[in-house]
Amino acid sequence: MNRRRFLHASTLGGAAVLASQPGCAPQGPGDGAAPAPATGNEPFELHEATIDDLQEAMRSGRLTARAITELYLARIEALNRQGPELRAIIETNPEALAIADGLDAERKAGKVRGPLHGIPVALKDNIDTHDRMTTTAGSLALEGSVPPQDSFVASRLREAGAVLLAKANMSEWAYWRGLHASSGWSARGGQCRNPYALDRNPCGSSSGSGSAASANLAALTIGTETGGSIMCPSSINGIVGLKPTVGLWSRAGIIPISHSQDSAGPMTRTVRDAAILLGSAVGVDARDPATSVSAGRFHTDYTTFLDPAGLTGARLGIVRNIPGFDERVAGLFDRAVDDLRAAGAVIVDPANLPNMDSGSVFQELPTIVLNYEFKVNINRYFQGLGPEAPVKSLADLIKFNDAHREQEMPFFGQERLIVSEATGSLADPRYRKAVETVQRLTRAEGIDAVMNRHRLDALVAPTSGPAWLTDHIRGDRFDGGDSAGTAAIAGYPDITVPMGLVAGLPVGLSYFGRAWSEPTLLRIAYAYEQGTKRRQPPQFRPTLG
């Protein structure tokens, strides 16, 4: 990755004042005239900076946590609602600089909490923080809502010394609202943009996390996934995304869709940064029963599994029967398979997944599961906000959207919410049959079966097609292929790494496998990344082609 010379902290005065005033452009010298809007391609001292780069800068005294935070806040101010108008960040943390100051004081006193000490992190806007930021899933219905406590993930990051920098924009309600939706649009944040071509979509629902990480608006970002919401925006924004096994990271304090499939995870520019971030937020949490199974399976330091020679002898199954990928993506995939073979991997080609031609496995039955689980889980979340909550039930949310139709539904409706509200309890035989079927077909008779048959370490497939044009009338065009579905429904881990560009737009390569196989997937993904170095930073072009 490219590295830039760091400016000494003393040259950074004033950046924090500027960044703390959303909508206020920097003043030019002398006459107070505003400078030309940023393009995104101006020199940026933290361009592609990794955790290790930032820690070295702080150890040497070249930078402080405050200076790093100021630089990212100024970058957000220049590019988020000005310049390229990425709309990747909904709000910044008014306490970010104070947090950074406290961490600098700890470092000066000889206390460094770990690799995240002083590192700014942006969280998706469905991850609770009990501070001066709100948590709204992009919806005006929760505008001003401050949860009664941090999410487990946020609390772990604070303990690790991270600076909670901002909340990232997202597909409203994590895309579980209406048909014909546009990924990355929320009533609070507007339409998030893809930094490679501003008229292209960033995918979702972790749209802002993907765009912000790629555009260097934060050192690290965190997204959430139910059915591809980390994988797709990571691939389409040219970054690394890691969706952990369900239960490795607690979902407590995360606005939910599905307790069967939801997981938060790292979205970063490098595999090593993803590994560091992954280990910072593991642990058994009484608020999320799924984490009890992670006891004895999680690691607090996943960097020990990273090996540049990690592909040597790895048995990899090449999944060829996922529909929708065009010949350009297929060409990049063939090149990637050659790269894996050249790096010493044992290639099993093909190692196709069963049931891929069954629409019920990946459309009808999973939708039934999510409809039922969303209603139960979102009602529980609303109730946990306490008596002052702006909305107290899914029924209230539907009424709010109807009452604020011009702001909330200018482009698409809330059909998914209405269908979910009409479902019964989780004791309903229709739900129980659906969840049992999809988990069996994606786990024991899906991923596990293929991996056992071929004695595989991981399965490999293209992550997604390239980004489509954002279209608020017709909605998203998911016609470019998507490999995240099986691992997402199974609740199994998945990691995507940049594989190359199609007409200037990035696409990723996915490695997925058995539950709790994050160490193996990280080892393989890291070796591929180090051997190919396919990430190319965005150029913020207005359009392509």
Side-chain angles (χ1 to χ4, degrees):
M1 298 300 170
N2 295 326
R3 298 190 181 190
R4 300 287 181 91
R5 179 177 55 85
F6 294 113
L7 285 178
H8 190 276
S10 63
T11 68
L12 304 174
V17 174
L18 170 66
S20 66
Q21 300 178 39
C24 179
Q27 296 298 302
D31 60 4
T39 67
N41 294 307
E42 296 81 7
F44 177 54
E45 293 304 321
L46 303 183
H47 181 73
E48 299 293 281
T50 65
I51 292 172
D52 292 341
D53 294 334
L54 297 175
Q55 289 298 344
E56 173 56 30
M58 288 186 282
R59 276 193 297 270
S60 69
R62 293 198 305 272
L63 287 174
T64 61
R66 181 186 181 92
I68 290 168
T69 303
E70 286 176 332
L71 279 170
Y72 282 122
L73 287 171
R75 176 89 167 167
I76 291 168
E77 174 65 20
L79 302 188
N80 194 57
R81 293 187 182 272
Q82 302 177 40
E85 197 178 345
L86 291 176
R87 293 187 174 268
I89 299 297
I90 282 185
E91 62 181 300
T92 55
N93 188 355
E95 300 171 308
L97 294 177
I99 293 170
D101 287 341
L103 293 164
D104 283 333
E106 288 185 16
R107 186 182 293 271
K108 188 174 182 180
K111 177 184 177 181
V112 176
R113 301 187 191 190
L116 292 186
H117 190 106
I119 305 296
V121 181
L123 306 177
K124 188 175 177 179
D125 186 41
N126 61 350
I127 301 175
D128 285 356
T129 56
H130 182 66
D131 52 19
R132 292 173 63 191
M133 292 189 289
T134 59
T135 305
T136 70
S139 171
L140 297 174
L142 287 180
E143 192 168 28
S145 176
V146 177
Q149 65 184 105
D150 274 343
S151 61
F152 185 86
V153 168
S155 67
R156 287 289 178 154
L157 291 174
R158 290 190 201 274
E159 292 167 9
V163 177
L164 301 190
L165 180 72
K167 289 293 180 73
N169 198 6
M170 58 183 287
S171 308
E172 188 171 312
W173 297 110
Y175 206 73
W176 199 254
R177 203 198 79 180
L179 305 176
H180 311 296
S182 174
S183 288
W185 185 90
S186 71
R188 282 195 68 219
Q191 178 62 57
C192 182
R193 293 183 170 189
N194 188 308
Y196 288 84
L198 300 175
D199 59 351
R200 297 270 165 173
N201 199 271
C203 200
S205 63
S206 303
S207 314
S209 299
S211 180
S214 189
N216 288 267
L217 302 189
L220 309 167
T221 69
I222 291 177
T224 67
E225 173 162 323
T226 303
S229 290
I230 290 175
M231 292 297 101
C232 182
S234 295
S235 173
I236 275 178
N237 288 284
I239 62 171
V240 174
L242 199 169
K243 195 279 293 186
T245 304
V246 169
L248 186 63
W249 273 16
S250 170
R251 286 83 53 84
I254 297 178
I255 298 177
I257 293 178
S258 163
H259 55 268
S260 296
Q261 295 177 210
D262 287 354
S263 180
M267 298 175 70
T268 63
R269 291 179 291 275
T270 70
V271 174
R272 180 174 171 81
D273 281 359
I276 293 171
L277 189 51
L278 181 66
S280 71
V282 296
V284 175
D285 177 17
R287 290 198 290 159
D288 182 358
T291 62
S292 64
V293 188
S294 74
R297 292 185 168 101
F298 65 76
H299 304 267
T300 56
D301 183 3
Y302 283 90
T303 65
T304 60
F305 301 103
L306 303 182
D307 180 0
L311 281 164
T312 302
R315 291 183 61 85
L316 303 180
I318 308 305
V319 182
R320 297 277 186 186
N321 66 330
I322 298 172
F325 293 110
D326 71 27
E327 69 279 358
R328 296 165 298 175
V329 176
L332 289 179
F333 185 46
D334 288 339
R335 181 183 70 175
V337 173
D338 290 340
D339 291 335
L340 296 170
R341 185 181 288 110
V346 178
I347 301 299
V348 178
D349 188 359
N352 289 337
L353 291 167
N355 307 308
M356 294 302 297
D357 58 348
S358 173
S360 66
V361 177
F362 295 100
Q363 295 176 25
E364 178 187 349
L365 294 180
T367 300
I368 291 171
V369 172
L370 300 188
N371 280 331
Y372 276 82
E373 293 190 357
F374 179 75
K375 178 182 179 180
V376 171
N377 293 325
I378 200 66
N379 282 337
R380 184 180 298 122
Y381 178 83
F382 288 148
Q383 291 157 13
L385 293 177
E388 302 303 318
V391 290
K392 296 178 172 58
S393 68
L394 177 54
D396 285 350
L397 173 59
I398 293 169
K399 292 176 183 176
F400 178 93
N401 289 338
D402 279 332
H404 300 82
R405 182 171 293 273
E406 289 187 8
Q407 297 93 346
E408 277 290 344
M409 298 191 289
F411 306 121
F412 58 94
Q414 55 177 342
E415 296 89 351
R416 297 188 190 279
L417 302 186
I418 293 169
V419 171
S420 185
E421 173 62 19
T423 61
S425 77
L426 299 185
D428 190 323
R430 184 168 183 253
Y431 163 75
R432 294 169 68 89
K433 178 65 173 178
V435 72
E436 184 279 327
T437 301
V438 296
Q439 290 184 352
R440 172 172 48 82
L441 293 179
T442 56
R443 294 176 182 179
E445 297 180 18
I447 292 173
D448 293 337
V450 174
M451 295 189 70
N452 291 339
R453 182 182 312 126
H454 298 293
R455 296 177 288 113
L456 300 176
D457 294 300
L459 292 162
V460 187
T463 309
S464 72
W468 56 90
L469 288 168
T470 295
D471 185 344
H472 287 157
I473 305 303
R474 300 178 64 188
D476 287 339
R477 291 178 54 191
F478 290 118
D479 57 1
D482 178 12
S483 67
T486 302
I489 296 168
Y492 285 4
D494 200 348
I495 183 169
T496 180
V497 180
M499 180 172 68
L501 300 177
V502 171
L505 297 169
V507 292
L509 183 68
S510 277
Y511 303 90
F512 55 101
R514 300 177 180 87
W516 318 111
S517 64
E518 285 85 356
T520 299
L521 299 183
L522 282 164
R523 171 174 57 83
I524 292 166
Y526 180 75
Y528 172 78
E529 173 198 59
Q530 294 302 299
T532 61
K533 297 188 181 295
R534 292 270 156 72
R535 169 166 162 82
Q536 297 184 35
Q539 297 298 310
F540 307 93
R541 295 182 176 93
T543 190
L544 290 171

